[in-house]
Amino acid sequence: MTAIFEIGMKQYKVRAGDVIKVEKLHEEDGAVLAFDSVIAIVDGANTVIGKPYIAGAKVTAEVVNQGKHKKVVVYKFKSKKGFHKKKGHRQPFTTLKIQNVAK
């Protein structure tokens, strides 16, 4: 069974057992979360689409860990002026393991 659900204005397509990275959630490692903002569920030939969400549908996930992506370097330079500016950014994320998709 495949589900499309929403976390933080972003949509993810998942199945039971998938591991996904989402925007940082303020939860402890090992916490079990239930998301009820399920947009669509595909179960073989049956497809259910919500308006906007499916009532009673739920995606259950476990928080695996918290982390940061690779550094993105922003470099500003103006020729012949001696201006150099270097900044870096590492976006935090939460890794989730999908346990169950229920209608």
Side-chain angles (χ1 to χ4, degrees), residues 45-89:
N46 300 330
T47 302
V48 180
I49 299 175
K51 296 180 183 178
Y53 303 120
I54 300 170
K58 190 181 292 188
V59 174
T60 309
E62 178 187 358
V63 176
V64 177
N65 67 349
Q66 308 283 344
K68 289 185 178 181
H69 286 287
K70 285 188 168 184
K71 185 177 279 189
V72 176
V73 177
V74 179
Y75 189 74
K76 295 182 179 181
F77 168 78
K78 294 192 179 191
S79 63
K80 302 175 192 164
K81 304 294 180 193
F83 175 78
H84 299 271
K85 192 172 191 180
K86 183 177 180 181
K87 288 172 117 179
H89 174 73

Side-chain angles (χ1 to χ4, degrees), residues 3-69:
I4 298 173
F5 74 108
E6 185 176 52
I7 302 175
M9 302 302 292
K10 294 184 180 175
Q11 297 174 0
Y12 299 92
K13 181 179 176 183
V14 295
R15 289 186 196 168
D18 286 354
V19 177
I20 60 171
K21 291 181 182 179
V22 299
E23 293 292 324
K24 182 172 174 78
L25 301 173
H26 298 286
E27 300 292 335
E28 296 293 323
D29 293 355
V32 177
L33 307 173
F35 302 101
D36 59 352
S37 55
V38 180
I39 298 167
I41 292 180
V42 177
D43 186 13
N46 300 330
T47 302
V48 180
I49 299 175
K51 296 180 183 178
Y53 303 120
I54 300 170
K58 190 181 292 188
V59 174
T60 309
E62 178 187 358
V63 176
V64 177
N65 67 349
Q66 308 283 344
K68 289 185 178 181
H69 286 287

